[in-house]
Amino acid sequence: MADLTHLDASGAAHMVDVSAKPDTVREAVAEGAISMAPAVIAAIRAGDIKKGDVLGTARIAGIMAAKQTSSLIPLCHPLPISSVSVDFEYTGAGVRVETRVRTSGKTGVEMEALTAASIALLTIYDMAKALDKGMVIGPVRLLAKSGGKSGDWIAP
């Protein structure tokens, strides 16, 4: 169990002590998508969803989610988030989201970027589900991360 950083010598879960690690600028980028019926895409574009501005609300939800990641995922460290961006683009099948989270700290923001993308997509689903309960979310994945001891990584 020595290779599993979130387990102690007895196998019990614990939060990793990062106090000795240096602060570095860290950034993570994640993406995800939601597919839906063409009529739903058109309604979102036209602003015809009864619950309001779908992408505006999803953007706020994603930002809020990034800031709350440590409350949602066990053993995640609470981080001083420097910035969060949540951007959308329409695709032929629905909407793609890309999130970017940045901090200067002792641990990375990959989970924050992935959480932001996931919650933004769930918010789109919630706001448009009256028109299409068969919407499909996914895949959600990390595109890139930078900073820290392990350095930069870009998805293949």
Side-chain angles (χ1 to χ4, degrees):
M1 294 198 197
D3 293 340
L4 301 175
T5 60
H6 285 78
L7 298 179
D8 66 16
S10 69
H14 74 104
M15 182 179 271
V16 174
D17 182 358
V18 296
S19 59
K21 293 172 75 175
D23 284 349
T24 62
V25 175
R26 296 158 183 271
E27 185 174 82
V29 182
E31 73 172 350
I34 183 167
S35 60
M36 59 193 68
V40 180
I41 298 170
I44 292 172
R45 280 182 180 262
D48 289 339
I49 301 292
K50 289 183 181 180
K51 288 188 173 184
D53 177 5
V54 173
L55 299 187
T57 303
R59 179 173 286 109
I60 297 293
I63 293 167
M64 291 173 62
K67 294 171 24 175
Q68 292 298 316
T69 300
S70 66
S71 297
L72 300 169
I73 298 178
L75 309 179
C76 264
H77 291 84
L79 300 175
I81 304 275
S82 301
S83 68
V84 180
S85 65
V86 179
D87 296 306
F88 301 99
E89 69 176 321
Y90 291 102
T91 66
V95 178
R96 177 185 170 272
V97 64
E98 183 173 299
T99 61
R100 182 176 303 268
V101 179
R102 196 171 167 101
T103 191
S104 178
K106 299 176 183 302
T107 188
V109 286
E110 297 92 339
M111 295 311 300
E112 286 74 10
L114 289 162
T115 300
S118 299
I119 296 301
L121 294 168
L122 286 167
T123 301
I124 293 170
Y125 184 96
D126 180 56
M127 294 190 73
K129 69 185 179 226
L131 298 177
D132 182 5
K133 290 181 182 24
M135 290 179 282
V136 176
I137 294 173
V140 174
R141 70 180 185 137
L142 185 68
L143 290 177
K145 61 83 65 188
S146 63
K149 186 171 107 178
S150 65
D152 296 352
W153 179 86
I154 298 174

